[in-house]
């Protein structure tokens, strides 16, 4: 099944800011993170505009956004 992945910050520079990604049926966010080598620590994970955890199941056509947490003041 195909999902859309949108990356921000350094992740967008390392990979691409927006791309389609083929994943097996029954995949979870953690599977995509593992394949891409991205830690869920220090990143917000959003699927279809809703903040989710790493064990969130993915469905055909989902949009997965990974946004680095920004610290500072």
């Amino acid at each position: 099944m195909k999902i859309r992945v949108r990356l921000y910050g350094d992740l967008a520079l390392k990979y691409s800011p927006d791309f389609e990604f083929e994943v097996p049926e029954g995949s979870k966010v953690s599977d995509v993170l593992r394949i891409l080598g991205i830690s869920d620590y220090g990143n917000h994970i959003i699927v279809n505009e809703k903040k989710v955890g790493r064990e969130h199941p993915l469905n055909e056509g989902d949009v997965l956004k990974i946004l680095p947490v920004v610290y500072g003041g």
Side-chain angles (χ1 to χ4, degrees):
M1 72 181 170
K2 288 185 182 178
I3 63 168
R4 171 135 327 263
V5 178
R6 293 195 177 131
L7 303 174
Y8 298 85
D10 289 343
L11 296 174
L13 296 174
K14 183 177 179 181
Y15 298 98
S16 175
D18 189 4
F19 56 95
E20 252 186 19
F21 198 69
E22 185 79 31
V23 296
E25 289 288 329
S27 292
K28 298 178 183 178
V29 169
S30 59
D31 298 318
V32 175
L33 294 175
R34 182 180 38 78
I35 291 166
L36 294 176
I38 297 172
S39 171
D40 62 332
Y41 178 77
N43 292 303
H44 295 290
I45 301 167
I46 299 168
V47 175
N48 300 329
E49 302 305 325
K50 217 181 212 185
K51 188 166 177 167
V52 300
R54 62 180 284 110
E55 294 308 310
H56 185 80
L58 295 169
N59 298 300
E60 177 77 30
D62 279 351
V63 177
L64 169 63
K65 293 182 181 180
I66 304 171
L67 296 93
V69 175
V70 178
Y71 297 100

